[in-house]
Amino acid sequence: MLILGIETSCDDTSAAIVKDGRKVLSNVVSSQDRFHSKYGGVVPEIASRKHLEIVNFVVSDALDSAGCGFSDIDAVAVTQGPGLVGSLLIGIMTAKTIAYVNKIPLLGINHIEGHIFSNLLERSELKPPFLSLVVSGGHSELIWVKDYGKYEVLGRTRDDAAGEVYDKVAKYFGLGYPGGPVIDRLAKNGRPDAVRFPRAKLKDGSLDFSFSGIKTAVINHGRSIDAELRNKELKQKKGKFAKIQGLDEKTMADILASFQKTVVDMLMENTLIAARRKQAGTIVIGGGVASNTWLRKKFSEAAESKSIRVFYPGKGFSTDNAAMIACAGYYGLRDGKKGSPMSLTATANMSVVD
Ligand code: KG4
Ligand code: ZN
């Protein structure tokens, strides 16, 4: 079965062709990073306009790269939510048109479900049940995947998402957007124990996350260094980093490495408690933050010591992509889910559980 996936929930326009749920024949992603970076985050109006300009070309490219045409496609899967309404609508209208003209099923897919399923792509050995951690720019959720399409949410963020905090810290230090990849790179030269940042621990025993405290702590730490440099009149010395002139690379790397260690420790603590509660033998991590080098290293070390298998998405499948949406669509269709009606519309807030 060949499924055309379309993903436009935020600022990446993507289309993919996936065979039988796991074999990726093509996965085209057109990034809008350069249009949003000067604002330090995604501007929704710009995002939807750019999706509209390029979506048809991205779909054609995905078909050409897979060596097929519309007549070969069995269904079209599209992200229904959560995400930016204007962005989602462009993908949904494109998918509806393709489904209507070619008389094939239209499948509205949950974006978070896509991130979970991104781990199945190009892998035959991974099957539910497993514990999933989805960490992206919009979400931080711990989900128990009982079976394909059967979920129990064990915890989610009560404020910022993990990726959002990377982006906000990067914005404060003038490192550009998205913040995750640049922090990942700069932190490699820093000492993770150089600065002790507080870590939130919710008192009610829940597995929810809270990242706004660490964000504020890192920014306040930056402000205090800024004030110190100003007092020492080092401000005039031009530093490498736009926001704090005079801040040397070593100090910057130490702050970022310590920030990253704190975020990953918080993610890992709850994930390991959840794994114990569910007696999970497999942990599956998805979302943009899943490509983080420190996160992968620490999770792999911790899992190995507990004889737990840990999976990360393959190259290009951590951040938003349409192959994961096609994969989720395949399993829905295989398990008897009906296609979505032509009245399908964008759902900005959407949970994996009804
Ligand atoms: O999954 P994704 O592409 O979009 C959403 O669904 O939000 O995730 C984007 C997020 C951004 O916040 C970005 O900074 C973060 O993932 N990210 C990373 C890395 N690569 C992307 N965070 C940490 N380390 C990375 N290497
Ligand atoms: Zn995403």
Side-chain angles (χ1 to χ4, degrees):
M1 186 185 285
L2 286 188
I3 300 212
L4 164 65
I6 298 178
E7 151 65 38
T8 61
S9 67
C10 191
D11 60 335
D12 289 313
T13 318
S14 182
I17 310 292
V18 175
K19 186 177 179 194
D20 298 334
R22 301 206 186 209
K23 179 139 190 49
V24 183
L25 301 188
S26 65
N27 184 43
V28 179
V29 183
S30 171
S31 166
Q32 299 180 358
D33 284 354
R34 68 185 188 283
F35 301 112
H36 301 285
S37 65
K38 67 177 165 194
Y39 304 105
V42 176
V43 181
E45 289 80 359
I46 296 178
S48 38
R49 198 173 321 147
K50 293 293 167 195
H51 284 308
L52 184 59
E53 283 171 14
I54 206 162
V55 69
N56 288 347
F57 300 101
V58 170
V59 170
S60 299
D61 200 3
L63 287 166
D64 290 349
S65 307
C68 57
F70 283 122
S71 58
D72 301 310
I73 303 298
D74 296 292
V76 51
V78 63
T79 309
Q80 179 185 350
L84 302 170
V85 170
S87 290
L88 289 163
L89 282 172
I90 307 299
I92 291 173
M93 288 311 296
T94 309
K96 276 186 188 176
T97 310
I98 295 169
Y100 181 76
V101 171
N102 296 283
K103 300 187 178 57
I104 52 175
L106 170 73
L107 309 162
I109 303 296
N110 184 305
H111 182 77
I112 299 173
E113 197 175 12
H115 275 307
I116 299 171
F117 278 79
S118 64
N119 280 279
L120 306 187
L121 295 167
E122 302 295 350
R123 281 193 190 112
S124 53
E125 73 274 28
L126 180 60
K127 293 183 175 66
F130 50 71
L131 176 67
S132 178
L133 172 70
V134 176
V135 268
S136 68
H139 314 278
S140 302
E141 298 204 7
L142 261 175
I143 299 164
W144 174 239
V145 182
K146 291 176 246 187
D147 202 348
Y148 296 102
K150 297 206 168 59
Y151 310 108
E152 179 186 347
V153 177
L154 304 175
R156 45 166 63 113
T157 183
R158 294 196 181 171
D159 38 57
D160 293 342
E164 189 180 357
V165 174
Y166 270 87
D167 295 336
K168 286 178 178 167
V169 165
K171 184 176 182 181
Y172 172 75
F173 286 108
L175 300 174
Y177 173 85
V182 62
I183 291 181
D184 192 349
R185 183 168 48 80
L186 294 175
K188 284 183 183 144
N189 303 319
R191 294 168 300 158
D193 294 312
V195 190
R196 262 199 78 75
F197 291 119
R199 56 202 64 190
K201 182 116 186 68
L202 300 172
K203 290 204 178 74
D204 52 11
S206 92
L207 294 174
D208 284 350
F209 301 103
S210 170
F211 295 110
S212 65
I214 166 85
K215 175 190 66 187
T216 310
V218 175
I219 291 174
N220 284 346
H221 187 78
R223 285 198 182 118
S224 68
I225 293 181
D226 197 22
E228 210 176 300
L229 290 172
R230 212 186 293 256
N231 287 341
K232 288 183 185 159
E233 290 179 2
L234 283 171
K235 216 38 189 161
Q236 287 86 330
K237 206 174 96 185
K238 223 171 165 26
K240 189 171 162 42
F241 303 102
K243 291 283 165 69
I244 305 181
Q245 287 175 22
L247 179 63
D248 62 274
E249 273 180 62
K250 178 95 194 59
T251 311
M252 181 81 257
D254 279 350
I255 296 171
L256 297 178
S258 304
F259 154 72
Q260 193 168 251
K261 174 186 170 12
T262 313
V263 171
V264 170
D265 279 356
M266 287 196 283
L267 289 170
M268 210 156 66
E269 191 176 335
N270 285 11
T271 307
L272 293 178
I273 296 172
R276 211 166 42 237
R277 282 189 198 166
K278 291 292 181 188
Q279 296 184 316
T282 306
I283 296 173
V284 160
I285 309 186
V289 185
S291 53
N292 185 264
T293 319
W294 181 260
L295 177 144
R296 289 189 178 212
K297 179 176 179 313
K298 294 320 258 181
F299 265 86
S300 296
E301 284 170 6
E304 199 183 322
S305 72
K306 295 184 179 345
S307 303
I308 293 174
R309 293 189 314 164
V310 57
F311 287 84
Y312 312 96
K315 202 167 165 39
F317 300 139
S318 291
T319 45
D320 290 347
N321 67 88
M324 67 185 195
I325 302 301
C327 175
Y330 169 82
Y331 282 99
L333 208 58
R334 189 201 68 167
D335 295 342
K337 250 197 195 164
K338 291 228 168 60
S340 307
M342 277 293 157
S343 56
L344 178 78
T345 191
T347 313
N349 296 308
M350 193 177 172
S351 172
V352 288
V353 287
D354 299 326

